[in-house]
Amino acid sequence: MPPFNLTSLTPATFILAGIPGMEKLHIWLSIPFCSMYLVALLGNVVMLFVIRTERSLHQPMYLFLAMLAITDLILSTTTVPKMLALFWFSAGEISFGACLTQMFFLHFSCSAESIILLAMAFDRFVAICYPLRYVAVLTQSAVAKAGLVVLLRSFCIIFPCIFLLKRLPFCGHNVIPHTYCEHMGVARLACADISINILYGLAVPVAVVVVDVVLIAVSYVLILLALFRLPSRTARHKAFNTCGSHVCVISLFYIPAFFTVLTHRFGQEIPQHIHILLANLYVVFPPMLNPIVYGVRTQQIKEKVVKVFICPKSHLLQ
């Protein structure tokens, strides 16, 4: 039995059990998860590199896209390497401090991604509904302040979860039936009342995300109304393309998130391994697809990727 701090009944380590009932398939499951993680790493790093090196992309929309790529890298890197270590080497042991750190960055990155998507929706709203005021409203300073708000709001929402977990006694229970540490998964191991954890873990983050979703929806209703009033068919098509990319990314983030939350809270008949598989897909699938969606649907990104990675090679061959 792992050693325990007898004064606080806090376990020195937790044991991540993986996907209950599918232990024999861990090696096979690691193949798609590893592949998706590598694609997510490559796609987001390329996106950051192109935005960093091309001065013409130093515009608010692409700076928000860079923030999204950084957040996706944090989300997937916080969880997937440990998941793969568990699948490949049965390395499920994780210290209490490392578990809380993983939990913090997992929920922090999810919260940050939500407000970044809201900022991107506001960017499109100003660009389409008030194009003449765009440069004055979305300045470099405004983008920097938005980035600071992303950090502060996410930190203030998630940091209390650490104290809510550290106050709990665990009485020897240290096996987490999951591939990574998340707030309620750890709280359910406690031998004490966790009603505050349940209330905070559900009410606060969900309420904040719902506010983000409502504001994004309002922004896009106003954007659609403005698009239908555009006289130029070319301008309308270009605006639809840009907004279409953003809507795809929003859908990739929010639909799996709400589905996971709803099945976790109300889908008691759904097997536990389905819950965990969905949760694992959520931390790697959107980070993998976001740069692909923007790379395929955004003409400026495609042109700059070709310029940075293909044109230099063609010059060398000449």
PDB file of all heavy atoms in Angstrom, residues 49-78:
ATOM      1  N   PHE A  49       3.961  28.580 -35.879  1.00  0.00           N
ATOM      2  CA  PHE A  49       5.163  28.984 -36.611  1.00  0.00           C
ATOM      3  C   PHE A  49       4.814  29.918 -37.764  1.00  0.00           C
ATOM      4  O   PHE A  49       5.474  30.945 -37.978  1.00  0.00           O
ATOM      5  CB  PHE A  49       5.890  27.748 -37.138  1.00  0.00           C
ATOM      6  CG  PHE A  49       7.120  28.073 -37.937  1.00  0.00           C
ATOM      7  CD1 PHE A  49       8.295  28.458 -37.304  1.00  0.00           C
ATOM      8  CD2 PHE A  49       7.108  27.992 -39.326  1.00  0.00           C
ATOM      9  CE1 PHE A  49       9.434  28.763 -38.039  1.00  0.00           C
ATOM     10  CE2 PHE A  49       8.237  28.304 -40.066  1.00  0.00           C
ATOM     11  CZ  PHE A  49       9.397  28.684 -39.421  1.00  0.00           C
ATOM     12  N   VAL A  50       3.767  29.573 -38.523  1.00  0.00           N
ATOM     13  CA  VAL A  50       3.369  30.391 -39.670  1.00  0.00           C
ATOM     14  C   VAL A  50       2.890  31.763 -39.212  1.00  0.00           C
ATOM     15  O   VAL A  50       3.259  32.799 -39.779  1.00  0.00           O
ATOM     16  CB  VAL A  50       2.273  29.671 -40.485  1.00  0.00           C
ATOM     17  CG1 VAL A  50       1.665  30.609 -41.526  1.00  0.00           C
ATOM     18  CG2 VAL A  50       2.849  28.438 -41.175  1.00  0.00           C
ATOM     19  N   ILE A  51       2.064  31.791 -38.160  1.00  0.00           N
ATOM     20  CA  ILE A  51       1.560  33.074 -37.651  1.00  0.00           C
ATOM     21  C   ILE A  51       2.707  33.916 -37.084  1.00  0.00           C
ATOM     22  O   ILE A  51       2.743  35.133 -37.260  1.00  0.00           O
ATOM     23  CB  ILE A  51       0.470  32.839 -36.592  1.00  0.00           C
ATOM     24  CG1 ILE A  51      -0.777  32.213 -37.238  1.00  0.00           C
ATOM     25  CG2 ILE A  51       0.074  34.152 -35.897  1.00  0.00           C
ATOM     26  CD1 ILE A  51      -1.832  31.759 -36.261  1.00  0.00           C
ATOM     27  N   ARG A  52       3.658  33.260 -36.449  1.00  0.00           N
ATOM     28  CA  ARG A  52       4.800  33.982 -35.861  1.00  0.00           C
ATOM     29  C   ARG A  52       5.715  34.561 -36.930  1.00  0.00           C
ATOM     30  O   ARG A  52       6.210  35.684 -36.786  1.00  0.00           O
ATOM     31  CB  ARG A  52       5.589  33.016 -34.951  1.00  0.00           C
ATOM     32  CG  ARG A  52       6.902  33.565 -34.402  1.00  0.00           C
ATOM     33  CD  ARG A  52       6.670  34.670 -33.396  1.00  0.00           C
ATOM     34  NE  ARG A  52       7.920  35.203 -32.852  1.00  0.00           N
ATOM     35  CZ  ARG A  52       8.665  36.125 -33.445  1.00  0.00           C
ATOM     36  NH1 ARG A  52       8.278  36.625 -34.612  1.00  0.00           N
ATOM     37  NH2 ARG A  52       9.771  36.551 -32.878  1.00  0.00           N
ATOM     38  N   THR A  53       5.950  33.827 -38.003  1.00  0.00           N
ATOM     39  CA  THR A  53       6.945  34.248 -38.995  1.00  0.00           C
ATOM     40  C   THR A  53       6.377  35.166 -40.076  1.00  0.00           C
ATOM     41  O   THR A  53       7.140  35.918 -40.697  1.00  0.00           O
ATOM     42  CB  THR A  53       7.584  33.017 -39.673  1.00  0.00           C
ATOM     43  OG1 THR A  53       6.553  32.184 -40.224  1.00  0.00           O
ATOM     44  CG2 THR A  53       8.403  32.222 -38.676  1.00  0.00           C
ATOM     45  N   GLU A  54       5.060  35.109 -40.304  1.00  0.00           N
ATOM     46  CA  GLU A  54       4.459  35.929 -41.357  1.00  0.00           C
ATOM     47  C   GLU A  54       3.841  37.194 -40.750  1.00  0.00           C
ATOM     48  O   GLU A  54       2.816  37.136 -40.074  1.00  0.00           O
ATOM     49  CB  GLU A  54       3.391  35.118 -42.106  1.00  0.00           C
ATOM     50  CG  GLU A  54       3.958  34.091 -43.050  1.00  0.00           C
ATOM     51  CD  GLU A  54       4.760  34.709 -44.169  1.00  0.00           C
ATOM     52  OE1 GLU A  54       4.357  35.768 -44.704  1.00  0.00           O
ATOM     53  OE2 GLU A  54       5.820  34.142 -44.513  1.00  0.00           O
ATOM     54  N   ARG A  55       4.439  38.325 -41.005  1.00  0.00           N
ATOM     55  CA  ARG A  55       3.962  39.580 -40.421  1.00  0.00           C
ATOM     56  C   ARG A  55       2.556  39.940 -40.901  1.00  0.00           C
ATOM     57  O   ARG A  55       1.807  40.603 -40.184  1.00  0.00           O
ATOM     58  CB  ARG A  55       4.938  40.714 -40.757  1.00  0.00           C
ATOM     59  CG  ARG A  55       6.303  40.582 -40.091  1.00  0.00           C
ATOM     60  CD  ARG A  55       7.129  41.846 -40.273  1.00  0.00           C
ATOM     61  NE  ARG A  55       6.493  43.004 -39.649  1.00  0.00           N
ATOM     62  CZ  ARG A  55       6.596  43.304 -38.356  1.00  0.00           C
ATOM     63  NH1 ARG A  55       7.289  42.509 -37.545  1.00  0.00           N
ATOM     64  NH2 ARG A  55       6.004  44.378 -37.880  1.00  0.00           N
ATOM     65  N   SER A  56       2.198  39.501 -42.100  1.00  0.00           N
ATOM     66  CA  SER A  56       0.864  39.810 -42.614  1.00  0.00           C
ATOM     67  C   SER A  56      -0.239  39.121 -41.810  1.00  0.00           C
ATOM     68  O   SER A  56      -1.409  39.496 -41.892  1.00  0.00           O
ATOM     69  CB  SER A  56       0.749  39.395 -44.081  1.00  0.00           C
ATOM     70  OG  SER A  56       0.953  37.990 -44.223  1.00  0.00           O
ATOM     71  N   LEU A  57       0.132  38.123 -41.010  1.00  0.00           N
ATOM     72  CA  LEU A  57      -0.848  37.411 -40.172  1.00  0.00           C
ATOM     73  C   LEU A  57      -0.873  37.956 -38.744  1.00  0.00           C
ATOM     74  O   LEU A  57      -1.539  37.380 -37.892  1.00  0.00           O
ATOM     75  CB  LEU A  57      -0.535  35.912 -40.148  1.00  0.00           C
ATOM     76  CG  LEU A  57      -0.648  35.171 -41.485  1.00  0.00           C
ATOM     77  CD1 LEU A  57      -0.369  33.688 -41.289  1.00  0.00           C
ATOM     78  CD2 LEU A  57      -2.004  35.370 -42.139  1.00  0.00           C
ATOM     79  N   HIS A  58      -0.155  39.029 -38.484  1.00  0.00           N
ATOM     80  CA  HIS A  58      -0.169  39.629 -37.149  1.00  0.00           C
ATOM     81  C   HIS A  58      -1.395  40.537 -37.016  1.00  0.00           C
ATOM     82  O   HIS A  58      -1.290  41.730 -36.758  1.00  0.00           O
ATOM     83  CB  HIS A  58       1.128  40.396 -36.881  1.00  0.00           C
ATOM     84  CG  HIS A  58       2.321  39.512 -36.807  1.00  0.00           C
ATOM     85  ND1 HIS A  58       3.589  39.984 -36.550  1.00  0.00           N
ATOM     86  CD2 HIS A  58       2.449  38.168 -36.945  1.00  0.00           C
ATOM     87  CE1 HIS A  58       4.445  38.964 -36.544  1.00  0.00           C
ATOM     88  NE2 HIS A  58       3.772  37.861 -36.787  1.00  0.00           N
ATOM     89  N   GLN A  59      -2.560  39.919 -37.216  1.00  0.00           N
ATOM     90  CA  GLN A  59      -3.845  40.592 -37.119  1.00  0.00           C
ATOM     91  C   GLN A  59      -4.649  39.921 -36.012  1.00  0.00           C
ATOM     92  O   GLN A  59      -4.383  38.763 -35.659  1.00  0.00           O
ATOM     93  CB  GLN A  59      -4.595  40.505 -38.448  1.00  0.00           C
ATOM     94  CG  GLN A  59      -3.848  41.085 -39.626  1.00  0.00           C
ATOM     95  CD  GLN A  59      -4.539  40.777 -40.932  1.00  0.00           C
ATOM     96  OE1 GLN A  59      -5.758  40.609 -40.992  1.00  0.00           O
ATOM     97  NE2 GLN A  59      -3.766  40.696 -42.005  1.00  0.00           N
ATOM     98  N   PRO A  60      -5.642  40.631 -35.453  1.00  0.00           N
ATOM     99  CA  PRO A  60      -6.380  40.073 -34.316  1.00  0.00           C
ATOM    100  C   PRO A  60      -6.910  38.658 -34.535  1.00  0.00           C
ATOM    101  O   PRO A  60      -6.764  37.798 -33.667  1.00  0.00           O
ATOM    102  CB  PRO A  60      -7.522  41.076 -34.138  1.00  0.00           C
ATOM    103  CG  PRO A  60      -6.954  42.369 -34.609  1.00  0.00           C
ATOM    104  CD  PRO A  60      -6.054  42.016 -35.758  1.00  0.00           C
ATOM    105  N   MET A  61      -7.511  38.379 -35.702  1.00  0.00           N
ATOM    106  CA  MET A  61      -8.087  37.058 -35.929  1.00  0.00           C
ATOM    107  C   MET A  61      -7.042  35.961 -35.802  1.00  0.00           C
ATOM    108  O   MET A  61      -7.278  34.907 -35.189  1.00  0.00           O
ATOM    109  CB  MET A  61      -8.741  36.997 -37.305  1.00  0.00           C
ATOM    110  CG  MET A  61      -9.472  35.678 -37.567  1.00  0.00           C
ATOM    111  SD  MET A  61     -10.278  35.626 -39.165  1.00  0.00           S
ATOM    112  CE  MET A  61      -8.923  35.109 -40.202  1.00  0.00           C
ATOM    113  N   TYR A  62      -5.851  36.204 -36.379  1.00  0.00           N
ATOM    114  CA  TYR A  62      -4.806  35.188 -36.356  1.00  0.00           C
ATOM    115  C   TYR A  62      -4.092  35.138 -35.011  1.00  0.00           C
ATOM    116  O   TYR A  62      -3.602  34.070 -34.605  1.00  0.00           O
ATOM    117  CB  TYR A  62      -3.816  35.446 -37.496  1.00  0.00           C
ATOM    118  CG  TYR A  62      -4.496  35.423 -38.842  1.00  0.00           C
ATOM    119  CD1 TYR A  62      -4.706  36.611 -39.545  1.00  0.00           C
ATOM    120  CD2 TYR A  62      -4.966  34.235 -39.394  1.00  0.00           C
ATOM    121  CE1 TYR A  62      -5.355  36.600 -40.767  1.00  0.00           C
ATOM    122  CE2 TYR A  62      -5.614  34.221 -40.610  1.00  0.00           C
ATOM    123  CZ  TYR A  62      -5.808  35.407 -41.294  1.00  0.00           C
ATOM    124  OH  TYR A  62      -6.467  35.388 -42.494  1.00  0.00           O
ATOM    125  N   LEU A  63      -4.048  36.254 -34.293  1.00  0.00           N
ATOM    126  CA  LEU A  63      -3.487  36.229 -32.943  1.00  0.00           C
ATOM    127  C   LEU A  63      -4.381  35.420 -32.007  1.00  0.00           C
ATOM    128  O   LEU A  63      -3.893  34.670 -31.159  1.00  0.00           O
ATOM    129  CB  LEU A  63      -3.307  37.657 -32.430  1.00  0.00           C
ATOM    130  CG  LEU A  63      -2.276  38.508 -33.196  1.00  0.00           C
ATOM    131  CD1 LEU A  63      -2.252  39.936 -32.645  1.00  0.00           C
ATOM    132  CD2 LEU A  63      -0.883  37.889 -33.116  1.00  0.00           C
ATOM    133  N   PHE A  64      -5.704  35.561 -32.154  1.00  0.00           N
ATOM    134  CA  PHE A  64      -6.625  34.726 -31.383  1.00  0.00           C
ATOM    135  C   PHE A  64      -6.467  33.256 -31.776  1.00  0.00           C
ATOM    136  O   PHE A  64      -6.558  32.358 -30.930  1.00  0.00           O
ATOM    137  CB  PHE A  64      -8.070  35.175 -31.593  1.00  0.00           C
ATOM    138  CG  PHE A  64      -8.413  36.473 -30.913  1.00  0.00           C
ATOM    139  CD1 PHE A  64      -9.073  37.485 -31.603  1.00  0.00           C
ATOM    140  CD2 PHE A  64      -8.093  36.691 -29.583  1.00  0.00           C
ATOM    141  CE1 PHE A  64      -9.394  38.680 -30.981  1.00  0.00           C
ATOM    142  CE2 PHE A  64      -8.408  37.892 -28.951  1.00  0.00           C
ATOM    143  CZ  PHE A  64      -9.057  38.888 -29.654  1.00  0.00           C
ATOM    144  N   LEU A  65      -6.234  33.018 -33.056  1.00  0.00           N
ATOM    145  CA  LEU A  65      -6.010  31.650 -33.525  1.00  0.00           C
ATOM    146  C   LEU A  65      -4.739  31.067 -32.915  1.00  0.00           C
ATOM    147  O   LEU A  65      -4.697  29.871 -32.562  1.00  0.00           O
ATOM    148  CB  LEU A  65      -5.925  31.643 -35.049  1.00  0.00           C
ATOM    149  CG  LEU A  65      -5.807  30.282 -35.739  1.00  0.00           C
ATOM    150  CD1 LEU A  65      -6.947  29.365 -35.327  1.00  0.00           C
ATOM    151  CD2 LEU A  65      -5.792  30.455 -37.248  1.00  0.00           C
ATOM    152  N   ALA A  66      -3.704  31.906 -32.754  1.00  0.00           N
ATOM    153  CA  ALA A  66      -2.477  31.455 -32.096  1.00  0.00           C
ATOM    154  C   ALA A  66      -2.746  31.100 -30.630  1.00  0.00           C
ATOM    155  O   ALA A  66      -2.230  30.099 -30.117  1.00  0.00           O
ATOM    156  CB  ALA A  66      -1.405  32.541 -32.197  1.00  0.00           C
ATOM    157  N   MET A  67      -3.565  31.930 -29.956  1.00  0.00           N
ATOM    158  CA  MET A  67      -3.951  31.612 -28.571  1.00  0.00           C
ATOM    159  C   MET A  67      -4.676  30.274 -28.508  1.00  0.00           C
ATOM    160  O   MET A  67      -4.454  29.465 -27.596  1.00  0.00           O
ATOM    161  CB  MET A  67      -4.863  32.706 -28.012  1.00  0.00           C
ATOM    162  CG  MET A  67      -4.215  34.051 -27.803  1.00  0.00           C
ATOM    163  SD  MET A  67      -5.422  35.223 -27.090  1.00  0.00           S
ATOM    164  CE  MET A  67      -4.608  36.783 -27.412  1.00  0.00           C
ATOM    165  N   LEU A  68      -5.551  30.030 -29.478  1.00  0.00           N
ATOM    166  CA  LEU A  68      -6.290  28.766 -29.525  1.00  0.00           C
ATOM    167  C   LEU A  68      -5.334  27.594 -29.704  1.00  0.00           C
ATOM    168  O   LEU A  68      -5.486  26.551 -29.055  1.00  0.00           O
ATOM    169  CB  LEU A  68      -7.310  28.807 -30.664  1.00  0.00           C
ATOM    170  CG  LEU A  68      -8.257  27.613 -30.769  1.00  0.00           C
ATOM    171  CD1 LEU A  68      -9.251  27.614 -29.610  1.00  0.00           C
ATOM    172  CD2 LEU A  68      -9.013  27.649 -32.102  1.00  0.00           C
ATOM    173  N   ALA A  69      -4.329  27.764 -30.571  1.00  0.00           N
ATOM    174  CA  ALA A  69      -3.361  26.691 -30.806  1.00  0.00           C
ATOM    175  C   ALA A  69      -2.552  26.393 -29.539  1.00  0.00           C
ATOM    176  O   ALA A  69      -2.314  25.223 -29.207  1.00  0.00           O
ATOM    177  CB  ALA A  69      -2.424  27.083 -31.951  1.00  0.00           C
ATOM    178  N   ILE A  70      -2.141  27.442 -28.819  1.00  0.00           N
ATOM    179  CA  ILE A  70      -1.404  27.239 -27.563  1.00  0.00           C
ATOM    180  C   ILE A  70      -2.264  26.499 -26.549  1.00  0.00           C
ATOM    181  O   ILE A  70      -1.807  25.561 -25.875  1.00  0.00           O
ATOM    182  CB  ILE A  70      -0.942  28.598 -26.995  1.00  0.00           C
ATOM    183  CG1 ILE A  70       0.117  29.228 -27.897  1.00  0.00           C
ATOM    184  CG2 ILE A  70      -0.383  28.431 -25.582  1.00  0.00           C
ATOM    185  CD1 ILE A  70       0.458  30.662 -27.550  1.00  0.00           C
ATOM    186  N   THR A  71      -3.535  26.895 -26.454  1.00  0.00           N
ATOM    187  CA  THR A  71      -4.452  26.243 -25.514  1.00  0.00           C
ATOM    188  C   THR A  71      -4.657  24.782 -25.883  1.00  0.00           C
ATOM    189  O   THR A  71      -4.699  23.909 -25.005  1.00  0.00           O
ATOM    190  CB  THR A  71      -5.806  26.979 -25.512  1.00  0.00           C
ATOM    191  OG1 THR A  71      -5.587  28.360 -25.227  1.00  0.00           O
ATOM    192  CG2 THR A  71      -6.737  26.406 -24.455  1.00  0.00           C
ATOM    193  N   ASP A  72      -4.788  24.489 -27.175  1.00  0.00           N
ATOM    194  CA  ASP A  72      -4.950  23.102 -27.616  1.00  0.00           C
ATOM    195  C   ASP A  72      -3.720  22.264 -27.279  1.00  0.00           C
ATOM    196  O   ASP A  72      -3.837  21.094 -26.900  1.00  0.00           O
ATOM    197  CB  ASP A  72      -5.208  23.062 -29.123  1.00  0.00           C
ATOM    198  CG  ASP A  72      -6.654  23.387 -29.484  1.00  0.00           C
ATOM    199  OD1 ASP A  72      -7.520  23.234 -28.605  1.00  0.00           O
ATOM    200  OD2 ASP A  72      -6.911  23.788 -30.633  1.00  0.00           O
ATOM    201  N   LEU A  73      -2.540  22.861 -27.437  1.00  0.00           N
ATOM    202  CA  LEU A  73      -1.307  22.138 -27.088  1.00  0.00           C
ATOM    203  C   LEU A  73      -1.268  21.821 -25.595  1.00  0.00           C
ATOM    204  O   LEU A  73      -0.864  20.721 -25.189  1.00  0.00           O
ATOM    205  CB  LEU A  73      -0.087  22.965 -27.488  1.00  0.00           C
ATOM    206  CG  LEU A  73       0.213  23.044 -28.993  1.00  0.00           C
ATOM    207  CD1 LEU A  73       1.321  24.038 -29.266  1.00  0.00           C
ATOM    208  CD2 LEU A  73       0.603  21.670 -29.538  1.00  0.00           C
ATOM    209  N   ILE A  74      -1.684  22.785 -24.760  1.00  0.00           N
ATOM    210  CA  ILE A  74      -1.714  22.548 -23.311  1.00  0.00           C
ATOM    211  C   ILE A  74      -2.724  21.451 -22.980  1.00  0.00           C
ATOM    212  O   ILE A  74      -2.437  20.533 -22.197  1.00  0.00           O
ATOM    213  CB  ILE A  74      -2.075  23.847 -22.557  1.00  0.00           C
ATOM    214  CG1 ILE A  74      -0.971  24.892 -22.732  1.00  0.00           C
ATOM    215  CG2 ILE A  74      -2.291  23.568 -21.066  1.00  0.00           C
ATOM    216  CD1 ILE A  74      -1.328  26.259 -22.187  1.00  0.00           C
ATOM    217  N   LEU A  75      -3.921  21.525 -23.581  1.00  0.00           N
ATOM    218  CA  LEU A  75      -4.980  20.554 -23.296  1.00  0.00           C
ATOM    219  C   LEU A  75      -4.539  19.135 -23.619  1.00  0.00           C
ATOM    220  O   LEU A  75      -4.695  18.220 -22.790  1.00  0.00           O
ATOM    221  CB  LEU A  75      -6.231  20.920 -24.100  1.00  0.00           C
ATOM    222  CG  LEU A  75      -7.419  19.946 -24.011  1.00  0.00           C
ATOM    223  CD1 LEU A  75      -7.929  19.844 -22.584  1.00  0.00           C
ATOM    224  CD2 LEU A  75      -8.534  20.382 -24.957  1.00  0.00           C
ATOM    225  N   SER A  76      -3.982  18.932 -24.799  1.00  0.00           N
ATOM    226  CA  SER A  76      -3.612  17.572 -25.197  1.00  0.00           C
ATOM    227  C   SER A  76      -2.338  17.092 -24.501  1.00  0.00           C
ATOM    228  O   SER A  76      -2.254  15.934 -24.078  1.00  0.00           O
ATOM    229  CB  SER A  76      -3.440  17.498 -26.725  1.00  0.00           C
ATOM    230  OG  SER A  76      -2.500  18.450 -27.179  1.00  0.00           O
ATOM    231  N   THR A  77      -1.358  17.986 -24.330  1.00  0.00           N
ATOM    232  CA  THR A  77      -0.087  17.579 -23.718  1.00  0.00           C
ATOM    233  C   THR A  77      -0.236  17.326 -22.218  1.00  0.00           C
ATOM    234  O   THR A  77       0.526  16.543 -21.634  1.00  0.00           O
ATOM    235  CB  THR A  77       0.986  18.651 -23.982  1.00  0.00           C
ATOM    236  OG1 THR A  77       1.108  18.844 -25.398  1.00  0.00           O
ATOM    237  CG2 THR A  77       2.336  18.239 -23.422  1.00  0.00           C
ATOM    238  N   THR A  78      -1.201  17.963 -21.592  1.00  0.00           N
ATOM    239  CA  THR A  78      -1.455  17.725 -20.170  1.00  0.00           C
ATOM    240  C   THR A  78      -1.925  16.304 -19.909  1.00  0.00           C
ATOM    241  O   THR A  78      -1.633  15.732 -18.851  1.00  0.00           O
ATOM    242  CB  THR A  78      -2.520  18.716 -19.649  1.00  0.00           C
ATOM    243  OG1 THR A  78      -2.001  20.040 -19.742  1.00  0.00           O
ATOM    244  CG2 THR A  78      -2.909  18.433 -18.205  1.00  0.00           C
TER     245      THR A  78
END
